[in-house]
Amino acid sequence: MVFHKEFQTAGKEPGLQVWRVEKMDLKPVLKQLHGNFFTGDCYVLLYTTAAPSYYIHMWLGSESSQDEKGAAAIFTTQLDDFLGGGPVQFREVQNNESLTFLGYFKSGIKYKQGGVASGFQHVVTNDMNVKRLLHIKGRRAIRATEVDMSWSSFNRGDCFIIDLGKDVFQWCGSECNSFERLKASQVAIDVRDNERNGRATLLMIEEGGEPQAVIDALGPKPNIPAGSPDDESVDRSNQKKGALYMISDAAGSMKASVVAQTSPFKQEMLSPSECYILDNGVDSKIFIWKGPSANTAERNAAMKAAEQFIKEKKYPRHTQVQVLPGGGETTLFKQFFCNWKDKDQTTGPGQAYSLGRIARVVQVPFDSSGLHTNKTMAAQHGMVDDGSGKVQVWRVEDGDQVPVDSSSYGQFYGGDCYLVLYSYRLGGREQHIIYTWQGLKCTQDELAASAFLTVRLDDSMGGSPVQVRVTQGQEPAHLMSLFKGKPMVIHLGGTSRKGGQSRVGSTRLFHIRQSSTRATRAVEVEPSAAFLNTNDVFVLKSPNTVFLWRGVGATEEELAAAQYVTSFLGGGSVTEVSEGKEQAGFWSALGGKKEYQTSRSLQKMVKPPRLFGCSNKTGRLIAEEVPGDFNQSDLATDDVMLLDTWDQIFLWIGNEANEVERTGSAKIAKDYVDSDPSGHRGIAITTIKQGMEPPTFTGWFQAWDPKLWETDPLERIRARF
């Protein structure tokens, strides 16, 4: 089979690759522009996990031509073949994408008007002659759609981004709530940082407070109509209804014969030598399961069979399709079976890995010299390289930048702001990234100065660097990996200035965790036993001893990082403590024994935890899943959230959730548990209130910040404007 030259790089390292179909050819899309889609085009995406396992997505724009859709389907099949027929394939239709797909783009998806045919290209520009209007929708999955640049596109219930090139305005309708504003701000920041290389000014404006520049661009403002409720009120009861068909002669005159009319099904109904359709069309989803020993022609015709099936059943055109190889089933598929058992699946010659969103990473002992060859480092989070380039760090002090002594690189104090300039070579050219790190306890003046100094440094380098703003606790993996094999250390408060402004406490606790890209960081937390976590390593410094506590699920790298932390804390010899064998002195130094997170972590589980928001903002009470890896800021304070960790269910009640959500969510949780055919019944449902979270809940979120909601999240994101 002839393979496209673009496939040479496909799946070689973890992370996302995106190609656009251009005149029946495939062209890669720049990493900075991932998440931008022209509605007149089709795209092929490949997501590779560290295991590796592969997910291929074919995305079809609403205005794309039949020819382009056909070409995308051919490339998808070829890519699947090239990767040995093992990938999971998804057919994605604009505005109706799968959760897996939406999870790749945490700051939202942007739909742009036009396409290849009308001469539109994907470029990062310093060209400021842009004029466009983006309409922001969605609370969990954010979509920004380009609409006509006129007042008639507006409504009072939503946020809009008025993009005038060097000024980007976030316009908030009088009826839109704070969580929606927060999500729209992420899109605005993304436009500035990725599409404009950090060279645009962001301004948040309220309906009725439009500045002259906006009136000049859009003309005199008429009356703006009220918002309409979202029509995304999917009835959860449909999500588990399915029928199972066996396909014969898929390559010829496909026939589908009924195996079972209603779910739940039994796993033994699937014969390894056949292909099947699991019809969940009532919830706009179709799954095709390819038996490992089915003939090649049938396996290759799977996607075609699905499209024909959708036509015959008169299902809507936007129905989602997933094609699954035997052994590569997704959680969504398995929940239709009452007795699904995962073997420790193997693919290819003896490569065992577990499937699901988080694949198990083989533990490699910590070795800083091996960073160049460890491709796992280059995963997901824009790891431009392995962090071995040149690093310079300055602290913001009295409105200026003061060099930090290189011996303390990697140490960050919550009372400071820092500029980190990273320089590396790529394709023979020198490239630069400026990370602006902002501590949670720094002053408003330092915040403002850090933004100004970043622009000044950027200008002094001819405007070529990429700028990345980082808030304490949200460090990207690449920044964590810049300190030559040493962990990044984040001190709760204080400063690294000479004669710093606050004395450190006599008892301090550091939480050491490795990220999915193998970089480690040590985050100082309040010295209390409630912050311990069975998956990680902790260093506790008390007035007379240093303890190194090792959780059951901790890795060797975390241990190595902890030893580094003990070395700079000083305080004599180190007492190593294993979880479950603690002496009394350890607990008393922490102020007594308390309940803490003892569930084995997501990295060690086949099934990743899932987070849902229960909201009646659309007029009906519905639950929708948060896409991708979630974090604390995905907890919407005006909703009730449901966290499913497989052996426990939590209902988290936001302080601003309304009465309907508070009372109705308990029923949603009960229905969720009872309707799951894979045996969730009778599992405990724990209800907790915002601000009173126990460690069994907070442990599922890395670097949980108990003070997060003491300041308004909107004010915090505004500081990044």
Side-chain angles (χ1 to χ4, degrees):
M1 182 145 182
V2 191
F3 291 117
H4 195 282
K5 61 179 188 309
E6 274 299 323
F7 296 170
Q8 311 284 266
T9 59
K12 290 287 184 286
E13 39 193 74
L16 184 66
Q17 290 164 280
V18 182
W19 296 275
R20 176 165 78 152
V21 175
E22 300 187 7
K23 306 194 171 51
M24 306 306 141
D25 196 6
L26 271 191
K27 289 282 182 348
V29 174
L30 270 178
K31 206 176 192 85
Q32 269 168 287
L33 299 175
H34 285 183
N36 286 304
F37 295 91
F38 284 109
T39 57
D41 292 329
C42 295
Y43 294 76
V44 176
L45 292 83
L46 172 66
Y47 184 75
T48 307
T49 70
S53 48
Y54 305 105
Y55 298 85
I56 300 175
H57 302 261
M58 164 172 86
W59 185 90
L60 311 174
S62 57
E63 314 280 315
S64 61
S65 70
Q66 228 20 71
D67 287 353
E68 286 168 320
K69 289 178 183 160
I74 291 166
F75 287 130
T76 302
T77 307
Q78 287 180 353
L79 181 55
D80 182 71
D81 244 25
F82 178 76
L83 294 169
V88 175
Q89 289 179 46
F90 297 77
R91 170 179 175 267
E92 311 282 0
V93 176
Q94 180 181 335
N95 280 318
N96 217 62
E97 295 86 356
S98 68
L99 214 70
T100 309
F101 183 90
L102 296 168
Y104 304 143
F105 310 106
K106 282 299 267 190
S107 56
I109 288 185
K110 298 195 275 298
Y111 299 137
K112 300 178 154 187
Q113 290 174 348
V116 180
S118 39
F120 288 94
Q121 296 304 326
H122 281 284
V123 281
V124 176
T125 76
N126 289 332
D127 167 24
M128 294 302 183
N129 307 330
V130 180
K131 266 181 111 173
R132 60 172 182 165
L133 179 62
L134 297 174
H135 180 184
I136 315 293
K137 291 293 268 187
R139 291 171 67 75
R140 321 290 158 211
I142 315 162
R143 292 182 168 89
T145 307
E146 188 178 341
V147 290
D148 286 341
M149 184 88 184
S150 95
W151 285 117
S152 61
S153 301
F154 285 75
N155 72 68
R156 297 200 296 267
D158 290 326
C159 290
F160 290 78
I161 290 173
I162 305 164
D163 181 359
L164 302 180
K166 68 178 191 311
D167 293 316
V168 177
F169 298 92
Q170 175 182 336
W171 183 94
C172 306
S174 52
E175 297 166 10
C176 80
N177 65 38
S178 60
F179 192 68
E180 283 159 354
R181 290 165 183 236
L182 203 60
K183 292 296 181 185
S185 298
Q186 290 174 355
V187 179
I189 288 171
D190 184 63
V191 169
R192 175 192 65 194
D193 293 354
N194 290 323
E195 289 185 47
R196 295 294 136 69
N197 264 332
R199 314 182 157 282
T201 311
L202 291 187
L203 298 147
M204 196 180 296
I205 55 176
E206 298 294 328
E207 176 185 347
E210 293 83 5
Q212 196 53 45
V214 169
I215 303 293
D216 292 346
L218 287 162
K221 185 175 138 220
N223 274 335
I224 305 281
S228 56
D230 297 347
D231 40 18
E232 286 182 37
S233 27
V234 189
D235 185 1
R236 267 207 75 89
S237 59
N238 282 339
Q239 298 195 344
K240 303 283 165 53
K241 287 190 181 137
L244 189 63
Y245 297 85
M246 189 170 91
I247 311 172
S248 51
D249 193 21
S253 58
M254 183 202 81
K255 294 182 194 53
S257 47
V258 179
V259 177
Q261 282 288 8
T262 53
S263 51
F265 313 122
K266 289 197 162 51
Q267 192 173 357
E268 37 294 3
M269 292 174 177
L270 301 172
S271 146
S273 56
E274 302 292 347
C275 294
Y276 295 83
I277 292 181
L278 193 162
D279 174 6
N280 178 218
V282 285
D283 192 33
S284 299
K285 289 185 187 68
I286 299 287
F287 302 86
I288 304 261
W289 185 85
K290 306 188 290 191
S293 48
N295 73 49
T296 319
E298 297 229 325
R299 291 169 59 97
N300 286 349
M303 187 62 86
K304 211 169 86 217
E307 302 206 328
Q308 193 181 326
F309 186 83
I310 289 169
K311 266 204 199 87
E312 284 174 13
K313 288 279 188 190
K314 299 196 169 49
Y315 286 148
R317 279 226 324 275
H318 63 243
T319 301
Q320 289 174 19
V321 179
Q322 289 188 20
V323 179
L324 312 164
E329 298 81 7
T330 53
T331 309
L332 214 58
F333 177 82
K334 293 184 221 175
Q335 59 188 13
F336 288 93
F337 293 81
C338 54
N339 64 342
W340 193 275
K341 294 278 181 293
D342 280 316
K343 294 188 270 310
D344 198 24
Q345 287 108 352
T346 55
T347 61
Q351 279 179 294
Y353 68 96
S354 51
L355 291 137
R357 216 173 41 226
I358 301 169
R360 222 176 271 157
V361 179
V362 185
Q363 300 297 347
V364 182
F366 190 65
D367 170 17
S368 54
S369 67
L371 287 178
H372 299 279
T373 51
N374 189 344
K375 281 289 191 273
T376 316
M377 288 289 294
Q380 300 142 347
H381 310 279
M383 293 287 288
V384 293
D385 69 348
D386 58 10
S388 58
K390 183 180 174 211
V391 179
Q392 290 164 274
V393 185
W394 295 270
R395 184 176 53 253
V396 175
E397 213 170 294
D398 306 326
D400 210 349
Q401 56 192 74
V402 178
V404 170
D405 181 359
S406 62
S407 64
S408 60
Y409 277 10
Q411 307 263 350
F412 291 78
Y413 290 81
D416 287 332
C417 288
Y418 299 87
L419 267 57
V420 179
L421 173 64
Y422 180 67
S423 310
Y424 63 104
R425 295 196 77 75
L426 185 67
R429 282 193 25 241
E430 180 144 73
Q431 309 270 4
H432 308 279
I433 301 174
I434 303 171
Y435 289 105
T436 312
W437 186 92
Q438 301 174 331
L440 291 173
K441 299 198 170 149
C442 67
T443 64
Q444 213 37 59
D445 291 350
E446 285 171 327
L447 272 180
S450 71
F452 161 74
L453 293 167
T454 302
V455 173
R456 192 176 79 177
L457 178 60
D458 185 63
D459 286 345
S460 74
M461 302 183 71
S464 65
V466 171
Q467 299 176 24
V468 184
R469 277 185 211 202
V470 180
T471 310
Q472 177 178 345
Q474 305 282 325
E475 292 77 18
H478 185 253
L479 175 58
M480 283 156 49
S481 67
L482 299 186
F483 306 107
K484 311 298 174 255
K486 294 191 297 206
M488 178 173 188
V489 180
I490 297 164
H491 301 263
L492 205 50
T495 171
S496 54
R497 296 178 193 196
K498 292 279 176 281
Q501 79 260 51
S502 63
R503 283 185 46 242
V504 293
S506 58
T507 303
R508 305 178 70 192
L509 182 63
F510 285 86
H511 178 179
I512 291 125
R513 178 180 282 185
Q514 189 179 30
S515 79
S516 58
T517 55
R518 318 192 62 77
T520 36
R521 71 174 165 182
V523 182
E524 185 178 0
V525 292
E526 301 289 343
S528 152
F531 282 94
L532 296 175
N533 187 316
T534 190
N535 301 289
D536 302 316
V537 177
F538 287 75
V539 171
L540 169 66
K541 180 188 189 305
S542 69
N544 34 21
T545 324
V546 176
F547 294 99
L548 193 160
W549 182 88
R550 180 180 187 161
V552 176
T555 67
E556 290 303 318
E557 286 92 330
E558 287 165 345
L559 212 57
Q563 268 138 6
Y564 169 75
V565 174
T566 61
S567 71
F568 72 76
L569 281 177
S573 65
V574 176
T575 308
E576 289 211 16
V577 181
S578 289
E579 181 176 8
K581 303 201 175 92
E582 299 87 354
Q583 55 270 69
F586 174 77
W587 294 121
S588 60
L590 277 175
K593 209 168 172 172
K594 291 193 178 71
E595 191 190 341
Y596 64 88
Q597 165 69 312
T598 50
S599 288
R600 290 302 293 274
S601 140
L602 22 193
Q603 285 136 4
K604 322 230 166 33
M605 291 184 12
V606 177
K607 292 182 166 180
R610 301 170 74 184
L611 182 68
F612 298 84
C614 307
S615 163
N616 69 345
K617 305 290 180 286
T618 58
R620 286 171 56 197
L621 187 61
I622 56 161
E624 43 174 0
E625 190 165 354
V626 174
D629 295 334
F630 53 79
N631 57 34
Q632 188 179 357
S633 56
D634 285 316
L635 295 171
T637 53
D638 56 353
D639 282 339
V640 172
M641 307 294 292
L642 184 152
L643 174 69
D644 176 5
T645 66
W646 300 96
D647 50 5
Q648 201 169 2
I649 291 208
F650 294 95
L651 267 185
W652 177 90
I653 298 181
N655 289 341
E656 295 121 59
N658 61 39
E659 208 36 56
V660 178
E661 290 162 348
R662 285 166 190 259
T663 49
S665 55
K667 182 173 172 349
I668 282 193
K670 192 175 169 341
D671 291 350
Y672 174 78
V673 171
D674 291 346
S675 68
D676 184 1
S678 54
H680 245 58
R681 276 210 156 85
I683 185 175
I685 298 176
T686 311
T687 302
I688 50 186
K689 295 198 173 54
Q690 179 185 338
M692 317 285 281
E693 297 84 0
T696 46
F697 177 82
T698 60
W700 294 100
F701 299 82
Q702 161 142 45
W704 177 274
D705 175 6
K707 301 198 169 71
L708 181 73
W709 293 296
E710 286 178 13
T711 51
D712 177 6
L714 211 53
E715 286 309 309
R716 266 203 316 280
I717 204 154
R718 242 180 212 161
R720 293 176 57 194
F721 268 39

mmCIF file of all heavy atoms in Angstrom, residues 197 199 434 453-467:
data_model
loop_
_atom_site.group_PDB
_atom_site.id
_atom_site.type_symbol
_atom_site.label_atom_id
_atom_site.label_comp_id
_atom_site.label_asym_id
_atom_site.label_seq_id
_atom_site.Cartn_x
_atom_site.Cartn_y
_atom_site.Cartn_z
ATOM 1 N N ASN A 197 1.173 35.574 18.989
ATOM 2 C CA ASN A 197 2.499 35.520 19.627
ATOM 3 C C ASN A 197 2.610 36.448 20.829
ATOM 4 O O ASN A 197 3.664 37.012 21.085
ATOM 5 C CB ASN A 197 3.585 35.921 18.616
ATOM 6 C CG ASN A 197 4.182 34.673 18.004
ATOM 7 O OD1 ASN A 197 4.204 33.623 18.634
ATOM 8 N ND2 ASN A 197 4.643 34.770 16.783
ATOM 9 N N ARG A 199 1.349 39.360 21.146
ATOM 10 C CA ARG A 199 1.380 40.800 20.844
ATOM 11 C C ARG A 199 0.005 41.366 20.593
ATOM 12 O O ARG A 199 -0.280 41.799 19.510
ATOM 13 C CB ARG A 199 2.124 41.047 19.536
ATOM 14 C CG ARG A 199 3.332 40.321 19.461
ATOM 15 C CD ARG A 199 4.092 40.602 18.208
ATOM 16 N NE ARG A 199 5.417 40.267 18.533
ATOM 17 C CZ ARG A 199 6.212 41.022 19.234
ATOM 18 N NH1 ARG A 199 5.883 42.179 19.613
ATOM 19 N NH2 ARG A 199 7.398 40.625 19.552
ATOM 20 N N ILE A 434 9.576 33.059 26.692
ATOM 21 C CA ILE A 434 9.627 33.787 27.970
ATOM 22 C C ILE A 434 8.472 33.280 28.834
ATOM 23 O O ILE A 434 7.303 33.429 28.466
ATOM 24 C CB ILE A 434 9.448 35.307 27.773
ATOM 25 C CG1 ILE A 434 10.512 35.859 26.823
ATOM 26 C CG2 ILE A 434 9.510 36.021 29.126
ATOM 27 C CD1 ILE A 434 10.271 37.309 26.415
ATOM 28 N N LEU A 453 7.660 44.115 32.060
ATOM 29 C CA LEU A 453 9.035 43.653 31.829
ATOM 30 C C LEU A 453 9.085 42.548 30.773
ATOM 31 O O LEU A 453 10.056 42.440 30.018
ATOM 32 C CB LEU A 453 9.653 43.159 33.146
ATOM 33 C CG LEU A 453 9.894 44.267 34.190
ATOM 34 C CD1 LEU A 453 10.203 43.651 35.556
ATOM 35 C CD2 LEU A 453 11.026 45.193 33.755
ATOM 36 N N THR A 454 8.026 41.738 30.726
ATOM 37 C CA THR A 454 7.969 40.672 29.716
ATOM 38 C C THR A 454 7.960 41.296 28.319
ATOM 39 O O THR A 454 8.709 40.890 27.434
ATOM 40 C CB THR A 454 6.709 39.805 29.908
ATOM 41 O OG1 THR A 454 6.744 39.256 31.223
ATOM 42 C CG2 THR A 454 6.649 38.674 28.900
ATOM 43 N N VAL A 455 7.103 42.323 28.145
ATOM 44 C CA VAL A 455 7.016 42.998 26.847
ATOM 45 C C VAL A 455 8.360 43.654 26.517
ATOM 46 O O VAL A 455 8.852 43.578 25.390
ATOM 47 C CB VAL A 455 5.875 44.043 26.863
ATOM 48 C CG1 VAL A 455 5.891 44.878 25.586
ATOM 49 C CG2 VAL A 455 4.533 43.333 27.018
ATOM 50 N N ARG A 456 8.989 44.260 27.540
ATOM 51 C CA ARG A 456 10.274 44.928 27.315
ATOM 52 C C ARG A 456 11.349 43.922 26.862
ATOM 53 O O ARG A 456 12.091 44.165 25.916
ATOM 54 C CB ARG A 456 10.714 45.642 28.598
ATOM 55 C CG ARG A 456 11.889 46.587 28.377
ATOM 56 C CD ARG A 456 12.244 47.359 29.637
ATOM 57 N NE ARG A 456 13.017 46.532 30.560
ATOM 58 C CZ ARG A 456 13.498 46.983 31.711
ATOM 59 N NH1 ARG A 456 13.258 48.223 32.098
ATOM 60 N NH2 ARG A 456 14.211 46.180 32.496
ATOM 61 N N LEU A 457 11.395 42.777 27.550
ATOM 62 C CA LEU A 457 12.376 41.740 27.198
ATOM 63 C C LEU A 457 12.097 41.216 25.784
ATOM 64 O O LEU A 457 13.002 41.033 24.970
ATOM 65 C CB LEU A 457 12.300 40.602 28.225
ATOM 66 C CG LEU A 457 13.209 39.386 28.007
ATOM 67 C CD1 LEU A 457 14.677 39.797 27.999
ATOM 68 C CD2 LEU A 457 12.976 38.335 29.097
ATOM 69 N N ASP A 458 10.813 41.022 25.494
ATOM 70 C CA ASP A 458 10.387 40.536 24.185
ATOM 71 C C ASP A 458 10.829 41.516 23.086
ATOM 72 O O ASP A 458 11.411 41.120 22.073
ATOM 73 C CB ASP A 458 8.863 40.386 24.204
ATOM 74 C CG ASP A 458 8.323 39.768 22.937
ATOM 75 O OD1 ASP A 458 8.667 38.615 22.653
ATOM 76 O OD2 ASP A 458 7.551 40.428 22.221
ATOM 77 N N ASP A 459 10.566 42.812 23.317
ATOM 78 C CA ASP A 459 10.946 43.830 22.336
ATOM 79 C C ASP A 459 12.457 43.866 22.137
ATOM 80 O O ASP A 459 12.942 44.014 21.015
ATOM 81 C CB ASP A 459 10.468 45.219 22.785
ATOM 82 C CG ASP A 459 8.961 45.364 22.605
ATOM 83 O OD1 ASP A 459 8.380 44.511 21.882
ATOM 84 O OD2 ASP A 459 8.365 46.283 23.174
ATOM 85 N N SER A 460 13.216 43.711 23.254
ATOM 86 C CA SER A 460 14.671 43.794 23.154
ATOM 87 C C SER A 460 15.230 42.644 22.317
ATOM 88 O O SER A 460 16.352 42.690 21.846
ATOM 89 C CB SER A 460 15.304 43.772 24.547
ATOM 90 O OG SER A 460 15.230 42.461 25.084
ATOM 91 N N MET A 461 14.416 41.563 22.144
ATOM 92 C CA MET A 461 14.887 40.422 21.359
ATOM 93 C C MET A 461 14.235 40.420 19.981
ATOM 94 O O MET A 461 14.090 39.375 19.347
ATOM 95 C CB MET A 461 14.565 39.128 22.096
ATOM 96 C CG MET A 461 15.202 39.134 23.486
ATOM 97 S SD MET A 461 14.936 37.610 24.341
ATOM 98 C CE MET A 461 16.005 36.563 23.402
ATOM 99 N N GLY A 462 13.748 41.591 19.571
ATOM 100 C CA GLY A 462 13.192 41.706 18.228
ATOM 101 C C GLY A 462 11.818 41.069 18.085
ATOM 102 O O GLY A 462 11.347 40.804 16.985
ATOM 103 N N GLY A 463 11.165 40.813 19.227
ATOM 104 C CA GLY A 463 9.791 40.304 19.154
ATOM 105 C C GLY A 463 9.659 38.867 18.694
ATOM 106 O O GLY A 463 8.590 38.438 18.288
ATOM 107 N N SER A 464 10.772 38.095 18.753
ATOM 108 C CA SER A 464 10.638 36.715 18.277
ATOM 109 C C SER A 464 10.167 35.709 19.338
ATOM 110 O O SER A 464 9.652 34.667 19.001
ATOM 111 C CB SER A 464 11.976 36.239 17.694
ATOM 112 O OG SER A 464 12.932 36.205 18.743
ATOM 113 N N PRO A 465 10.364 35.994 20.658
ATOM 114 C CA PRO A 465 10.015 34.949 21.631
ATOM 115 C C PRO A 465 8.514 34.643 21.695
ATOM 116 O O PRO A 465 7.680 35.466 21.336
ATOM 117 C CB PRO A 465 10.472 35.542 22.971
ATOM 118 C CG PRO A 465 11.458 36.589 22.631
ATOM 119 C CD PRO A 465 11.013 37.137 21.316
ATOM 120 N N VAL A 466 8.227 33.439 22.176
ATOM 121 C CA VAL A 466 6.850 33.065 22.515
ATOM 122 C C VAL A 466 6.691 33.436 23.986
ATOM 123 O O VAL A 466 7.581 33.172 24.792
ATOM 124 C CB VAL A 466 6.653 31.541 22.336
ATOM 125 C CG1 VAL A 466 5.314 31.096 22.873
ATOM 126 C CG2 VAL A 466 6.784 31.171 20.864
ATOM 127 N N GLN A 467 5.573 34.067 24.344
ATOM 128 C CA GLN A 467 5.374 34.438 25.755
ATOM 129 C C GLN A 467 4.374 33.500 26.410
ATOM 130 O O GLN A 467 3.320 33.240 25.850
ATOM 131 C CB GLN A 467 4.825 35.861 25.867
ATOM 132 C CG GLN A 467 5.733 36.928 25.303
ATOM 133 C CD GLN A 467 5.071 38.295 25.376
ATOM 134 O OE1 GLN A 467 4.190 38.538 26.194
ATOM 135 N NE2 GLN A 467 5.490 39.203 24.505
#
